[in-house]
Amino acid sequence: MLVTTLGLQWGDEGKGKIVDYISRNADWIIRYAGGANAGHRLIVDKNEYSFHLIPSGILHSNTRVLLGSGMVIDSDVFRKELQQLKQSGISYENRIFISDRAHIVLPSHKDKDLKLEKKRAYKLGVTKKGIGSAYASKAQRTGIRVCDLGKDMHRFKGVLKRSDRIFLEHNAEFLSRYSINQFELLSELGSDEIVICEGAQGFMLDLDYGSYPYVTSGPTGLNGIAANCISPKQISEIIGIFKAYSTRVGEGPLFTEFKKDEKDTFEYYSEKGHEVGTTTGRLRRIGHLDLVVLKYAVVCTGATSLALTHLDVLDTQQAVKVCIGYECDGTMYSYLPSSYALQSKLKPVYKTLEGWQNPTEHVQKWDALPQKAKQFIHFVEDFLKVPIRLVSVGPERNQTIYRGPNEGST
């Protein structure tokens, strides 16, 4: 059984927590794209963990995790995360592997990212972690993969910068220790084994389908799965993850972003939702829930079920606004236009729903949710035409409601 999870917004949807929650019976967790520009913050039994490369399912002692072929690996960050696990008393021996086809982030990649961002006429707000340049090297066929370390390094003599050569010499043995052939691994899996594929960032940051050019450099949707020796026909379930409102870090469109007269709402959401980038430390921009963006992401990814996070952040609101369309120069749009020039002029069209004004953070079952919170969820489901099976009402693992097929109509 193979299940894939992916974010449906601009990242920071709470994917780490959802993957952790559904991984308790999994055999393997495969992170299929991205690099250390992504971040997952987890709280389990009041202990906080931050991962940028290692899949969050590592916290379950029965799971094994793989940093997949579509990733770009920062060995310094990887070392720090292993140290974090060790300090937390979590054994990871023979449980963490890196695909030998994954590319390596070099010091020169980070330098290039920094210089390129400074030269841009418009700023993208990149993390400067070398991700974009590493993916560029991959596309230009000048990248170095984990399988190139050691005996194959002579091929790069005279090509690499001195700093990169020293870096690789220092990290070759370390990274090779975790190297595995992903095809061989997948071909040997039994039919009864449970595999969860974990994406990075959110669909709206996808290089092909996101809000280009304000996107990441790798695939964030199902297009990233194919880079990992996985056929879409093998996937049993696609879980799309979104939060009850919209956020993004850095530049680019956020169509429902709070206005100046909504400053108090922004500050409340920011504090209640802990809206600070796990990787960047920057305050996230915040806006109302955008159902047009979500429907676009649902259709493009083929999501078969949904996980709604941060519902508790809306608990105190008298009214909840959701975007159901866009308007531009008298024309209505029920979909997301491709052109950034047009996107930058879109004005959201809202529907206002009643708030429930009751706490949900201690709710454990669907039937115990406030009625108006259920109505909000039903409205979202009806718009997206996909069932919401998981509802998160707080950052802790146990603050998650599983809603079975027979719990509530859609």
Side-chain angles (χ1 to χ4, degrees), residues 360-380:
T360 60
E361 57 189 14
H362 299 300
V363 174
Q364 297 288 309
K365 295 184 178 181
W366 169 258
D367 288 342
L369 278 173
Q371 186 60 33
K372 290 179 181 177
K374 293 185 199 176
Q375 291 172 0
F376 167 77
I377 293 171
H378 287 318
F379 183 87
V380 174

Side-chain angles (χ1 to χ4, degrees), residues 8 240 242 289 291 294-295 298 303-308 322 324 353 366 369 373-391 401-410:
L8 298 178
F242 70 102
L289 181 63
L291 292 181
L294 279 181
K295 190 158 191 174
V298 163
T304 57
S305 66
L306 301 174
L308 167 63
V322 295
I324 58 172
L353 306 174
W366 169 258
L369 278 173
K374 293 185 199 176
Q375 291 172 0
F376 167 77
I377 293 171
H378 287 318
F379 183 87
V380 174
E381 282 183 318
D382 289 341
F383 194 96
L384 301 179
K385 304 292 190 293
V386 180
I388 294 172
R389 294 292 180 226
L390 292 171
V391 179
I401 301 166
Y402 172 70
R403 179 185 172 213
N406 298 320
E407 295 183 274
S409 61
T410 58

Side-chain angles (χ1 to χ4, degrees), residues 24-298:
R24 57 190 182 278
N25 296 317
D27 297 287
W28 281 93
I29 318 294
I30 300 175
R31 164 87 178 270
Y32 61 81
N37 55 340
H40 289 160
R41 174 178 171 268
L42 298 163
I43 299 178
V44 180
D45 298 328
K46 301 192 183 303
N47 295 314
E48 185 170 332
Y49 306 88
S50 291
F51 296 115
H52 302 275
L53 293 173
I54 297 176
S56 53
I58 191 65
L59 297 181
H60 296 280
S61 60
N62 56 296
T63 61
R64 287 170 289 177
V65 303
L66 174 69
L67 282 63
S69 303
M71 290 186 66
V72 290
I73 310 298
D74 185 322
S75 64
D76 291 337
V77 173
F78 185 56
R79 285 178 188 272
K80 290 177 182 178
E81 293 187 2
L82 293 180
Q83 186 64 27
Q84 176 189 188
L85 291 172
K86 184 177 180 179
Q87 291 174 348
S88 300
I90 297 172
S91 174
Y92 58 82
E93 293 299 323
N94 298 314
R95 295 182 55 220
I96 297 178
F97 303 89
I98 301 174
S99 169
D100 61 2
R101 292 177 182 266
H103 282 246
I104 299 170
V105 177
L106 302 173
S108 62
H109 291 142
K110 297 179 182 181
D111 292 340
K112 288 176 183 176
D113 266 14
L114 181 60
K115 291 175 181 177
L116 184 58
E117 184 73 354
K118 286 181 177 179
K119 289 179 180 179
R120 291 185 198 277
Y122 55 91
K123 303 301 179 186
L124 295 181
V126 300
T127 59
K128 306 179 184 70
K129 302 289 184 181
I131 309 303
S133 295
Y135 273 115
S137 292
K138 177 179 179 178
Q140 293 168 349
R141 291 150 292 178
T142 58
I144 296 179
R145 302 172 298 171
V146 174
C147 62
D148 296 324
L149 298 173
K151 62 181 180 180
D152 287 338
M153 285 302 296
H154 68 276
R155 293 191 294 116
F156 303 99
K157 188 175 182 179
V159 176
L160 292 172
K161 288 187 174 182
R162 183 173 182 273
S163 59
D164 290 340
R165 189 172 66 253
I166 293 172
F167 173 83
L168 289 169
E169 289 172 354
H170 177 67
N171 287 282
E173 190 278 330
F174 167 66
L175 291 175
S176 297
R177 198 184 312 161
Y178 298 90
S179 175
I180 191 172
N181 185 292
Q182 186 164 336
F183 173 78
E184 186 177 8
L185 162 68
L186 292 172
S187 64
E188 292 178 354
L189 287 176
S191 59
D192 59 338
E193 292 190 82
I194 298 174
V195 180
I196 296 174
C197 292
E198 171 188 299
Q201 288 103 12
F203 185 74
M204 290 306 295
L205 294 178
D206 185 81
L207 183 61
D208 291 307
Y209 300 103
S211 50
Y212 191 89
Y214 298 95
V215 294
T216 191
S217 298
T220 62
L222 282 190
N223 44 344
I225 292 284
N228 286 266
C229 307
I230 296 171
S231 167
K233 69 180 182 180
Q234 297 174 269
I235 300 173
S236 304
E237 184 175 8
I238 302 169
I239 303 175
I241 304 166
F242 70 102
K243 63 174 60 168
Y245 49 96
S246 302
T247 63
R248 79 173 297 168
V249 173
E251 307 300 321
L254 183 61
F255 308 110
T256 60
E257 189 163 9
F258 289 148
K259 305 299 183 184
K260 290 182 179 179
D261 61 357
E262 297 175 296
K263 180 181 177 182
D264 290 344
T265 307
F266 168 83
E267 291 177 349
Y268 174 77
Y269 278 39
S270 184
E271 182 177 355
K272 176 70 174 176
H274 304 285
E275 296 300 347
V276 178
T278 304
T279 297
T280 63
R282 292 178 289 185
L283 279 177
R284 295 175 187 138
R285 298 157 57 198
I286 304 176
H288 301 287
L289 181 63
D290 191 332
L291 292 181
V292 181
V293 157
L294 279 181
K295 190 158 191 174
Y296 169 73
V298 163

